[in-house]
Amino acid sequence: MTRLLLAFLTVWLSTNALCQTDSVFLNQNPEPILGKVLINYKKGKVNVKGRDSSPAAFPFTEIRKIGLANGAVYLNENLKSESHLLLLLVEGKFSLLFNENDKLFYVRRNDSLLVISQAHYKRALPLIFGKELTDAYYVTSNIGAEYTAKYLKRLTSYANSAGNSPQTIYTKTIDQFKVRASIGIYAGFGHNRTAFDVGEGDGVGNVVYKKTGYASGSTLPLGLSIDIAMAKRMSILVDAYGNNTSIENLNIGGFGAAEIIFPNYLIHPELYDRSLNLSELSYKTFQIDIAGSYSLMRPERSKIRPYLFGGPTIMRLRSAEMGLSTGYRETKDAPFSYVTGYVEIDRPAHMIGFNAGVGAQYDLHKRWTLRLSAKFVGGIYPKISHTKVSSRIENGTTMPDKTWNFRFNNLMGTYDQYVRNFSINGGLYFRL
């Protein structure tokens, strides 16, 4: 029984190994060379690693046909006086072939090999198959012309069936799409909103963080963008740009209290407004938005293609300056005038957020594309620390500068900064 089992395994393994063997047919040799085939398009050679022989390499010019174990068949075709290996997709009166190196389709009709380029395939198909046949296929399938293996295989098969021609359809899938990269200028108009979580004592020695209101301002993002197309409808967008935001005429409270020089505040407390309000804000950021993009329409169907995108954002807060104001009035019935002191971060802060939006692109030319998008970016700079007080003071009161001390504010500890940005962006991209 054991011997029988071993014999069966030996036969099965030998048969299975044989089934996994590729075949190379040379022009001068009717017998195939068996082994593992590797096609090197760059060098124009086919490497064959035999089971019982050393590896060998054959130039395309010596090869007539290749049959792979997975069912794929390659034929040697002469294109512009050079030998090329084309993948056979449909064989019949009309044969469809594909060049994996330059991503072009070919149709063999009688003795003519006709190329189908992506730029002119809509005009080429009626000339190759006949307008009546392509129109009839559209009526039957309700599918417009596409530069895809799926569509062209079905059209070729339909043409062979219409002429009662015997045919063979190969099921081998192909890698038709070629990764492409485009680079462009990134520019737009943005509306920035920011708020803070600032610490406040609860009276028993604990610090409680409370969120302030939002401050808003406009900005003009400017930088570079890269679009890496991974498939017909999917790509990766990388936007790297800077933002400078300046906001004035604010009145957001909760930033602490100013210290007044002794004994003025004790004698006339009604003349002073010790609470510190955020009255000015300016900051500079550099950010990188990485997003996956999905086009809602195929490139061959429309020049205008809407798309959705979303992904992570990495943002660096390069500098930030906040103007904190407190008030003074000459009499208790007079209006307040204000003095503003400035605090700024002592070192850059970083955050990881997210971005998402919608956009549309329009192909101006084979290599030039125009993009327009609406984007939202959100995130939080966590626990910004090392805030320092600037020596700059803008005093609109009648009291001398030394009256005020801005060192006692809630930003001297750590605080969180919320970032919300809405922007309309555009760019002109060049395909590399």
Side-chain angles (χ1 to χ4, degrees):
M1 184 69 181
T2 306
R3 291 181 179 179
L4 226 85
L5 182 61
L6 288 173
F8 172 78
L9 287 174
T10 303
V11 171
W12 182 86
L13 288 172
S14 300
T15 305
N16 187 63
L18 185 62
C19 291
Q20 299 300 317
T21 301
D22 303 325
S23 304
V24 178
F25 296 85
L26 302 179
N27 294 324
Q28 306 300 326
N29 189 356
E31 296 297 324
I33 298 174
L34 304 181
K36 183 64 177 176
V37 168
L38 178 63
I39 302 175
N40 189 329
Y41 291 102
K42 187 175 181 180
K43 294 183 178 180
K45 291 184 178 181
V46 173
N47 299 309
V48 183
K49 185 178 181 181
R51 288 177 296 172
D52 303 320
S53 60
S54 58
F58 302 94
F60 286 177
T61 53
E62 295 183 12
I63 293 172
R64 176 168 51 90
K65 178 181 177 181
I66 296 176
L68 301 185
N70 61 9
V73 174
Y74 291 85
L75 300 180
N76 188 333
E77 298 287 350
N78 196 286
L79 304 176
K80 297 181 180 179
S81 301
E82 292 184 3
S83 292
H84 292 261
L85 291 181
L86 303 187
L87 178 63
L88 185 59
L89 302 178
V90 178
E91 186 175 17
K93 178 181 178 182
F94 291 93
S95 295
L96 178 67
L97 303 100
F98 180 68
N99 190 331
E100 293 180 321
N101 188 40
D102 58 16
K103 311 301 180 184
L104 286 175
F105 290 98
Y106 293 83
V107 171
R108 176 171 289 286
R109 186 186 63 186
N110 300 324
D111 294 329
S112 301
L113 187 65
L114 308 172
V115 64
I116 308 175
S117 69
Q118 186 167 3
H120 306 290
Y121 72 96
K122 290 184 179 180
R123 288 185 293 173
L125 294 179
L127 296 175
I128 295 172
F129 295 99
K131 189 175 186 307
E132 290 184 4
L133 187 138
T134 53
D135 290 344
Y137 179 70
Y138 174 75
V139 172
T140 302
S141 65
N142 197 28
I143 300 175
E146 298 177 358
Y147 196 74
T148 63
K150 183 178 181 180
Y151 174 84
L152 293 174
K153 285 175 71 174
R154 290 181 175 179
L155 177 61
T156 306
S157 175
Y158 180 83
N160 287 328
S161 298
N164 297 318
S165 170
Q167 62 178 335
T168 302
I169 301 175
Y170 295 87
T171 58
K172 170 73 170 65
T173 59
I174 63 173
D175 180 19
Q176 179 184 345
F177 193 83
K178 187 177 181 180
V179 174
R180 297 190 303 266
S182 302
I183 187 169
I185 299 295
Y186 182 90
F189 176 81
H191 177 73
N192 284 0
R193 302 189 70 212
T194 188
F196 303 89
D197 266 343
V198 292
E200 187 176 283
D202 62 358
V204 291
N206 298 319
V207 177
V208 178
Y209 283 89
K210 294 183 178 180
K211 189 176 180 179
T212 70
Y214 275 91
S216 301
S218 60
T219 184
L220 299 175
L222 182 63
L224 292 175
S225 179
I226 298 176
D227 177 10
I228 304 173
M230 307 300 295
K232 273 189 174 294
R233 292 194 180 188
M234 299 183 67
S235 64
I236 297 175
L237 302 175
V238 181
D239 302 330
Y241 56 95
N243 263 328
N244 295 344
T245 302
S246 182
I247 311 171
E248 299 180 356
N249 301 321
L250 303 175
N251 187 23
I252 301 177
F255 287 87
E259 183 182 68
I260 311 299
I261 193 169
F262 182 82
N264 295 356
Y265 174 68
L266 295 179
I267 299 174
H268 304 288
E270 72 280 1
L271 303 182
Y272 296 89
D273 178 15
R274 292 186 62 216
S275 56
L276 291 174
N277 295 325
L278 178 65
S279 58
E280 298 177 29
L281 174 64
S282 62
Y283 56 95
K284 298 179 180 180
T285 63
F286 175 78
Q287 66 191 73
I288 298 177
D289 300 336
I290 304 172
S293 169
Y294 180 77
S295 177
L296 302 180
M297 297 189 69
R298 289 180 176 272
E300 63 270 11
R301 291 191 174 180
S302 176
K303 284 191 173 183
I304 301 178
R305 302 192 299 280
Y307 60 90
L308 306 175
F309 63 90
T313 288
I314 303 172
M315 189 180 296
R316 174 185 172 95
L317 183 65
R318 296 162 49 209
S319 64
E321 186 179 66
M322 289 163 270
L324 303 179
S325 298
T326 188
Y328 173 77
R329 55 188 173 185
E330 298 294 337
T331 66
K332 63 179 182 179
D333 298 322
F336 278 101
S337 54
Y338 293 92
V339 58
T340 301
Y342 294 87
V343 297
E344 56 190 62
I345 61 171
D346 192 31
R347 63 183 65 181
H350 301 82
M351 82 164 193
I352 296 179
F354 71 96
N355 71 90
V358 297
Q361 65 182 56
Y362 177 74
D363 295 330
L364 298 172
H365 183 264
K366 184 178 179 180
R367 287 185 173 269
W368 292 97
T369 299
L370 186 65
R371 286 182 180 268
L372 185 67
S373 64
K375 179 190 290 186
F376 171 79
V377 176
I380 303 174
Y381 288 104
K383 299 296 177 286
I384 300 176
S385 59
H386 302 285
T387 304
K388 62 180 182 180
V389 177
S390 171
S391 60
R392 182 162 68 96
I393 290 180
E394 291 186 4
N395 191 352
T397 73
T398 58
M399 301 297 290
D401 292 351
K402 64 181 181 179
T403 306
W404 320 97
N405 187 344
F406 291 90
R407 294 183 182 277
F408 296 90
N409 62 74
N410 293 335
L411 296 178
M412 292 308 295
T414 60
Y415 61 92
D416 298 340
Q417 180 177 343
Y418 297 82
V419 176
R420 305 287 185 268
N421 174 254
F422 305 87
S423 62
I424 301 295
N425 311 289
L428 183 62
Y429 291 74
F430 177 75
R431 183 178 298 168
L432 302 176

